[in-house]
Amino acid sequence: MKKVILKRFLNAIPLLFIISIIAFLLIKLAPGDPIQSFVTPDMNPDDVERMRKSLGLDQPIYMQYILWLQNILTGNFGYSIITKRPVLDMIIERIPATLGLMGASLLLSLIIAIPLGMITAVKKNTIFDRIANFFAYIGISIPGFWFGLMLIYVFSLQLGLLPSMGMRTVGTDSIWDVMKHGILPATVLAFQNISVYMRYIRSSTIRQLDEDYVQIQYAYGASKRHVLFNHVLRNVLLPVITIIGLSIPNLVGGAFITETVFSWPGLGLLGVTSIFSFDYPVIMAITLFSSVMLILGNLIADILYSVVDPRIRLRG
C-alpha cells in the first residue's frame, strides 16, 4: 500500500505541472489587464510601464511562467495584486472554511443517501420508491445557484430561521453559530450528491439482492435486516467509494458557486473575486490548491477501497 501511495504522489507531479501550464496560459490569454486596477486618469504612462515591469508583465509569457514556477517551488506564491497580501496567507485562511463545507456536505450526503438508496431498493416500484426517485431526478436536474437562492428566500427571508450569508454573526463566536450559517450552503452542495448516490446505491443493492449468497443467508434463517446491513451493505460500499472519488471535482466546483451565493469565506468566494479583479497570482494559487485537493481526494478513495475490500489490499 505504501508503494501504491508513493506511486500516486509521483504521478501527481507531472499532472500538476500540466495543469499549471494550462491555467497560466488561460489567464494570460483572457481579455483584460491587471495593471488597469492601479491606473488612474492622471497617472503618467511612464509610471504605468514601470509598474508593468516591476510585476514582470513586460516579459514573454514563457518567461513569466518560468519565474512564477521558480517562486512556487521555493514556497513563494507571490502577493495579491489587489490586497498586497501574501497569497499563501490568504489561501491558508480560506482552506478551513472550504474543507469544512465540503466535508459537511459529503457527510450529509452519505448519511442520507446510503440508507435511502437501500430502502428504495428493498421497496422497489412502491410509492415510496417512486417519490424518492422523483426527488432524485429533481436534485440531479436543478442548478445549484438557483436552489441556493430558493433556500435563502424560504428559510432566511420568509421564515427567518437561518442566516442567508457569511460564516459567523458579527459579535458572536460559537460553533453553533457557524453550524447555522453552514446549513444552507451544505444542503445545496449535498442535494445533488444525495440524488446521484441514492440512484447508484439503489441499483447496486438491487443487483446484490439477486446474488446467491443472499438467498443462502435467507435459507439459513437470517432476517432481511441482517442480510441487508451485514452482507449487502459491504458490497454496496465499493461503488459508493467510486462515486465519491468521481464527485470530488463537482464538490470543488460547486463550492465556488455555493460560496459565492452564500458569501461563505472560502476558496470559492476568493477565487471568484480574484477572477473578476484579474488577480492572477491568487487565481493560479487557488487552481493549484484545488488540483491538489482533487488528487488527494481520489487517493483517499483508493485507500478506502482496500479498507472495504481486503482482496484489493492483498492484490496490492
Side-chain angles (χ1 to χ4, degrees):
M1 179 57 67
K2 292 181 180 179
K3 292 182 179 179
V4 174
I5 295 175
L6 179 61
K7 184 178 180 181
R8 289 294 299 273
F9 273 115
L10 293 177
N11 291 337
I13 295 175
L15 179 61
L16 290 173
F17 178 69
I18 294 172
I19 291 173
S20 67
I21 292 176
I22 295 174
F24 195 87
L25 289 176
L26 288 175
I27 292 172
K28 291 301 179 181
L29 295 175
D33 187 354
I35 294 298
Q36 296 303 318
S37 303
F38 304 94
V39 174
T40 58
D42 57 344
M43 185 174 289
N44 192 299
D46 294 335
D47 295 333
V48 176
E49 290 303 317
R50 279 195 295 269
M51 190 179 300
R52 188 183 303 277
K53 186 175 181 179
S54 67
L55 293 174
L57 298 176
D58 60 327
Q59 301 187 35
I61 292 180
Y62 69 91
M63 282 302 301
Q64 294 182 41
Y65 175 78
I66 291 173
L67 293 174
W68 174 82
L69 185 61
Q70 289 175 348
N71 291 329
I72 291 297
L73 293 177
T74 59
N76 179 16
F77 286 81
Y79 288 82
S80 168
I81 295 176
I82 304 302
T83 64
K84 312 298 187 298
R85 294 184 57 203
V87 173
L88 186 59
D89 292 346
M90 298 172 65
I91 297 293
I92 292 175
E93 289 176 359
R94 303 285 187 125
I95 283 180
T98 297
L99 291 180
L101 183 61
M102 290 173 57
S105 64
L106 185 59
L107 182 62
L108 180 64
S109 302
L110 294 175
I111 290 175
I112 296 176
I114 292 177
L116 187 61
M118 299 186 75
I119 293 172
T120 52
V122 173
K123 298 181 178 294
K124 183 176 64 172
N125 297 328
T126 62
I127 295 178
F128 178 82
D129 179 38
R130 292 173 182 174
I131 293 175
N133 278 287
F134 173 75
F135 282 103
Y137 288 128
I138 292 178
I140 295 172
S141 304
I142 63 173
F145 71 90
W146 181 87
F147 185 51
L149 293 175
M150 291 301 100
L151 290 182
I152 291 175
Y153 177 77
V154 174
F155 292 98
S156 298
L157 299 180
Q158 296 297 318
L159 301 179
L161 298 176
L162 296 169
S164 61
M165 61 175 55
M167 187 175 173
R168 290 184 175 89
T169 303
V170 178
T172 305
D173 187 13
S174 65
I175 297 177
W176 172 239
D177 183 62
V178 175
M179 291 175 64
K180 283 199 305 182
H181 282 79
I183 289 175
L184 293 184
T187 301
V188 172
L189 277 179
F191 189 44
Q192 187 175 29
N193 285 333
I194 291 172
S195 304
V196 175
Y197 295 171
M198 190 209 80
R199 293 289 300 167
Y200 274 96
I201 293 169
R202 177 183 179 276
S203 61
S204 180
T205 303
I206 291 174
R207 288 196 302 269
Q208 292 298 321
L209 290 175
D210 292 333
E211 295 290 334
D212 292 337
Y213 74 90
V214 173
Q215 305 305 321
I216 292 173
Q217 290 296 323
Y218 286 149
Y220 279 114
S223 65
K224 182 175 291 188
R225 181 186 296 272
H226 175 84
V227 173
L228 197 62
F229 291 100
N230 289 70
H231 299 279
V232 174
L233 178 60
R234 193 176 189 86
N235 294 317
V236 168
L237 286 179
L238 278 176
V240 172
I241 295 173
T242 304
I243 301 165
I244 293 174
L246 294 174
S247 64
I248 290 176
N250 293 331
L251 278 175
V252 176
F256 274 67
I257 299 173
T258 305
E259 289 180 7
T260 303
V261 172
F262 291 94
S263 298
W264 186 264
L267 288 179
L269 181 60
L270 178 62
V272 172
T273 305
S274 302
I275 290 171
F276 281 112
S277 59
F278 212 80
D279 196 351
Y280 71 89
V282 180
I283 298 172
M284 287 299 301
I286 291 177
T287 303
L288 283 183
F289 273 91
S290 300
S291 302
V292 170
M293 289 167 59
L294 296 179
I295 293 170
L296 289 177
N298 284 281
L299 178 60
I300 293 173
D302 289 343
I303 296 173
L304 289 176
Y305 259 101
S306 63
V307 174
V308 175
D309 193 344
R311 295 171 298 178
I312 298 176
R313 183 166 61 247
L314 291 174
R315 286 199 299 269

